Amino acid sequence: MPMLWPFNKTQSTVAEPKRSDPRLDGELIASFVRALPDPVLAVDRQGLVIAANELVRDVLEVDPGGQHLSAAIRAPAVLETVAAVLAGGAAALTDFELRFPLPRHFDVYVSPIALTRLEGPAALIVLKDLTREQQIERMRADFVANASHELRTPLASLSGFIETLLGAAKNDTVAREKFLNLMRSQAERMKRLIDDLLSLSRIELNQHLRPSGSVDLAQLARHVGDVMSGMAKAEACEIRFDLPAALMVTGDRDELVQVVQNLVENALKYAGGGKFVDIAGHSDGRDVELTVRDYGPGIAPEHIPRLTERFYRVSVQESRSRGGTGLGLAIVKHILSRHRGRLEIVSELHHGSAFTLHIPAQKS
Ligand code: ADP
């Protein structure tokens, strides 16, 4: 006897025979299937699809409604698991690989569901998309491998110098001086790398917290230009400004200093020979734009989309010789995304590069 609502006994009693109406079951299942957040479909005892949600249509790129399951999912493991469940088996798990249009991997949960006595057994099939999790896992593994490799290189040369100082160069004061200087530069490289890694992880931890300070990007850019003037001089390069009186954004000042400093430093490091680095800014009331432009060798188009990846460098040798870690633009990208902003890179070989940051303007 079903449990009845005390205030509406008659209606429930009248509704009782309807529960054996197969159409009612179909509607109920369809509405559950539609409400679920994963791709889900239901099949009857013959394997015909009696309900499928929008997400299934997105994944399979067909509407499987009314068709046999095998027309929609051509995976023997899934079909066998479903057949076993329809034959009275317990809920089971299998997996399913889609190759087109993009490779995707799903866990597939198949559970028996009870329809009316007339309809017999049915099964609910839930596809759990693992593609993103697997991508993240791969990225994490790559990151650990890259970071270890980057740290191991200076460490190996430090160990080599220590061996030499303990052995062959033990009593050679000239060689000792030279090796100690080389060791210092390797130790500094390791420190820069660790500082950048910590910086990146701190920014990632705060990624979801919107910054709340009030920052004048024009004033900040002039300040960074002044701080970098020594390095500019050493590169025989002049930093020029084309900035309005103020460019107000909501942000974290220290992080935005890091962004502009990274861009100006890169312009001087990789394009200092271009004689000028220009910092220009403006606001259209909605967005604030700040561009750091150089007149150096430029960047080939195939590299541009990858520059903000961790450890991606056009030339590892050149980056290393200039004290680079390959993390600067990854840090820039993360800081800007925390500020709901973005980085735009325009570059042409032999004609220099322009790195523009876009951040929503502060509402006055
Ligand atoms: P790095 O520590 O190597 O400077 P970044 O993430 O800051 O790392 O930059 C990644 C790569 O992008 C650099 O190694 C360099 O190859 C390229 N790059 C960045 N800025 C410029 C620029 N202004 N001109 C030419 N190449 C640049």
Side-chain angles (χ1 to χ4, degrees):
M1 182 68 186
M3 212 162 76
L4 300 173
W5 290 109
F7 49 84
N8 203 355
K9 279 188 184 186
T10 28
Q11 204 188 343
S12 290
T13 328
V14 174
E16 175 66 6
K18 275 198 185 165
R19 287 189 67 250
S20 60
D21 180 344
R23 277 173 313 170
L24 205 65
D25 274 341
E27 278 164 28
L28 200 63
I29 288 172
S31 71
F32 279 139
V33 163
R34 271 198 302 274
L36 290 167
D38 289 311
V40 178
L41 29 81
V43 292
D44 68 8
R45 66 173 158 191
Q46 278 127 24
L48 294 176
V49 177
I50 52 173
N53 62 12
E54 200 60 44
L55 294 165
V56 166
R57 273 162 246 160
D58 290 348
V59 166
L60 302 178
E61 293 191 318
V62 287
D63 182 354
Q67 300 187 50
H68 194 268
L69 181 66
S70 57
I73 300 182
R74 292 191 185 88
V78 175
L79 300 175
E80 280 162 24
T81 309
V82 172
V85 167
L86 289 173
L93 171 68
T94 181
D95 63 352
F96 166 51
E97 197 99 32
L98 259 187
R99 301 205 190 285
F100 300 105
L102 291 170
R104 290 170 84 172
H105 191 161
F106 299 87
D107 262 353
V108 183
Y109 298 87
V110 185
S111 319
I113 46 174
L115 284 177
T116 61
R117 262 161 284 129
L118 286 174
E119 284 290 287
L124 194 71
I125 304 160
V126 180
L127 306 178
K128 186 100 196 135
D129 193 347
L130 301 178
T131 319
R132 177 121 187 89
E133 274 170 43
Q134 286 175 338
Q135 264 171 358
I136 291 172
E137 193 44 52
R138 207 170 310 131
M139 275 165 64
R140 197 175 14 229
D142 283 353
F143 176 66
V144 171
N146 280 330
S148 317
H149 174 75
E150 293 291 332
L151 281 168
R152 194 179 315 139
T153 317
L155 192 60
S157 68
L158 270 176
S159 307
F161 291 135
I162 291 170
E163 288 309 316
T164 316
L165 284 176
L166 286 173
K170 201 169 184 172
N171 300 314
D172 182 339
T173 40
V174 180
R176 193 187 313 147
E177 180 83 13
K178 184 176 138 207
F179 286 135
L180 284 173
N181 276 322
L182 289 169
M183 288 168 77
R184 183 200 287 146
S185 81
Q186 294 302 322
E188 280 166 358
R189 182 168 149 206
M190 290 179 80
K191 181 178 179 310
R192 271 197 306 277
L193 203 70
I194 289 166
D195 286 347
D196 277 359
L197 285 169
L198 287 175
S199 195
L200 200 56
S201 97
R202 204 172 33 243
I203 296 157
E204 273 184 330
L205 275 179
N206 291 333
Q207 191 84 14
H208 58 286
L209 295 174
R210 284 209 70 175
S212 56
S214 191
V215 181
D216 178 356
L217 265 187
Q219 186 269 335
L220 182 150
R222 281 190 209 96
H223 163 75
V224 171
D226 289 346
V227 171
M228 306 295 287
S229 61
M231 181 174 172
K233 210 166 176 184
E235 298 286 342
C237 192
E238 185 190 341
I239 301 178
R240 303 184 298 193
F241 300 96
D242 178 10
L243 295 162
L247 284 171
M248 300 309 298
V249 297
T250 301
D252 178 313
R253 189 182 153 80
D254 289 346
E255 286 189 358
L256 292 173
V257 164
Q258 209 175 345
V259 166
V260 180
Q261 195 157 327
N262 262 322
L263 297 181
V264 175
E265 201 176 308
N266 278 352
L268 293 170
K269 268 192 326 203
Y270 300 110
K275 300 283 177 281
F276 297 106
V277 167
D278 289 334
I279 307 181
H282 84 101
S283 171
D284 61 7
R286 247 165 47 102
D287 273 348
V288 165
E289 281 181 25
L290 190 80
T291 300
V292 177
R293 182 185 303 279
D294 67 61
Y295 301 89
I299 304 159
E302 65 270 23
H303 295 296
I304 293 179
R306 303 200 56 192
L307 291 183
T308 55
E309 283 175 25
R310 292 153 197 211
F311 298 116
Y312 189 86
R313 285 156 286 189
V314 174
S315 155
V316 174
Q317 217 36 55
E318 189 187 5
S319 158
R320 282 206 185 134
S321 70
R322 297 191 152 265
T325 58
L327 293 173
L329 291 178
I331 292 174
V332 165
K333 180 181 151 185
H334 275 83
I335 293 178
L336 290 179
S337 94
R338 184 176 172 229
H339 285 75
R340 307 291 185 269
R342 67 191 167 87
L343 178 69
E344 180 193 0
I345 306 172
V346 178
S347 184
E348 206 184 325
L349 275 180
H350 316 300
H351 291 96
S353 313
F355 289 75
T356 301
L357 51 97
H358 300 257
I359 300 184
Q362 193 171 60
K363 305 266 174 298
S364 45

